[in-house]
Amino acid sequence: MAAKKDGEFGSKDQASALELLWGAVGRPTRGPKPALSPERIARAAIGIADAEGLAMVSMQRVAADLDFTKMSLYRYFPGKTELIAFMIDTALGEPSALGGGDWRAKLGEWARRFWEVLRQHPWLLQVTVGQRPVGPNELGWLECAVEALAPTGLDGAEQLDAVVLVTGHVRNLAQQVLTTVTPAGVRAGSTEGELISVLAELLERHGERFPALTTAVASAAAGSAQDDALDFGLNRIFDGLELLIAKRAK
């Protein structure tokens, strides 16, 4: 049987992870406050994943960083799979209320906050895919986005599809930008401007084969909107949604 990859959940894993995420186990209510907690363990694991990548997270490593034994962690997490589920919800954090304005302003703010979370924790891209347990913070993020669209007149399915579309744009851009292939190898955390610089360097040597791309990259490098892909995509998505909202209002 093939070993599970980080973030893959079997049915038993999902059940135990859901219990942890929604507070059913691992939280003593009597006696002295324990030295460890699911939150403290998860934050230690997040620190490792942020600095060194998710592959470096193990129960042994997290226990060592906390100066506890590996067995101490098993009181709170049956294994790494459940720990990752808790890391996801902890890294996302509880969403704060969106500011004022119309649905475009609110959903734009939501998308930019999500982008910042992915920039801080690029490993989230790896583990927030497929069928998996969802915690209260992640569900709260979805609630905020759907709430922003509630007054638009779109039906429930359309609201959810719109959120999926916006989420997909943010994730796709993060996937391209946060892990950039450079001449020196793969480097995480790059900006769009740095990505353009990488392309420009390649096109200096091979530009005759890609004339349209060479012209576009040169224009982008000379302009002031090198890091505008997030808002550009959001505005095009919102323009399309605005047409649909106007159609529904007729």
Side-chain angles (χ1 to χ4, degrees):
M1 182 180 295
K4 289 186 299 184
K5 297 179 181 179
D6 289 337
E8 288 186 345
F9 293 86
S11 57
K12 291 184 178 179
D13 296 330
Q14 291 201 39
S16 60
L18 282 169
E19 288 179 343
L20 284 163
L21 287 166
W22 292 92
V25 297
R27 300 172 185 269
T29 57
R30 296 183 179 180
K33 185 177 180 180
L36 281 177
S37 68
E39 290 80 7
R40 185 181 174 193
I41 295 168
R43 293 196 181 282
I46 288 168
I48 296 169
D50 289 348
E52 303 175 42
L54 189 65
M56 298 304 296
V57 176
S58 67
M59 301 297 275
Q60 183 68 51
R61 171 64 188 281
V62 175
D65 280 17
L66 290 169
D67 200 24
F68 279 83
T69 66
K70 180 180 176 181
M71 292 305 298
S72 300
L73 272 59
Y74 286 116
R75 179 186 178 192
Y76 299 91
F77 297 101
K80 183 177 177 180
T81 302
E82 291 82 3
L83 173 58
I84 288 174
F86 209 88
M87 287 170 63
I88 293 170
D89 216 53
T90 303
L92 285 170
E94 186 176 351
S96 55
L98 298 175
D102 61 7
W103 66 268
R104 287 184 69 129
K106 289 182 178 180
L107 200 54
E109 180 185 350
W110 181 92
R112 284 183 284 275
R113 287 186 187 178
F114 181 41
W115 167 257
E116 287 304 318
V117 170
L118 293 180
R119 288 197 61 158
Q120 294 172 27
H121 312 292
W123 52 270
L124 282 171
L125 292 165
Q126 179 182 343
V127 293
T128 52
V129 293
Q131 185 176 1
R132 58 188 177 80
V134 174
N137 287 340
E138 188 170 2
L139 213 59
W141 276 80
L142 182 58
E143 166 72 11
C144 284
V146 171
E147 186 179 35
L149 288 165
T152 62
L154 298 179
D155 64 33
E158 290 167 340
Q159 292 173 29
L160 291 172
D161 286 344
V163 175
V164 169
L165 186 60
V166 171
T167 302
H169 168 59
V170 176
R171 287 182 60 91
N172 183 56
L173 182 60
Q175 190 74 56
Q176 295 180 57
V177 172
L178 298 181
T179 302
T180 301
V181 180
T182 72
V186 176
R187 178 163 53 89
S190 300
T191 65
E192 291 173 60
E194 289 173 317
L195 179 58
I196 288 173
S197 295
V198 171
L199 292 175
E201 184 177 340
L202 288 170
L203 291 170
E204 281 182 8
R205 300 192 297 272
H206 308 289
E208 71 281 354
R209 295 177 56 188
F210 312 100
L213 182 59
T214 298
T215 300
V217 169
S219 175
S224 59
Q226 291 185 17
D227 291 317
D228 199 38
L230 178 63
D231 283 339
F232 179 85
L234 288 174
N235 284 328
R236 302 297 73 77
I237 291 170
F238 294 168
D239 288 347
L241 289 174
E242 206 159 60
L243 290 174
L244 179 59
I245 291 168
K247 182 180 178 181
R248 289 285 179 272
K250 290 181 179 179

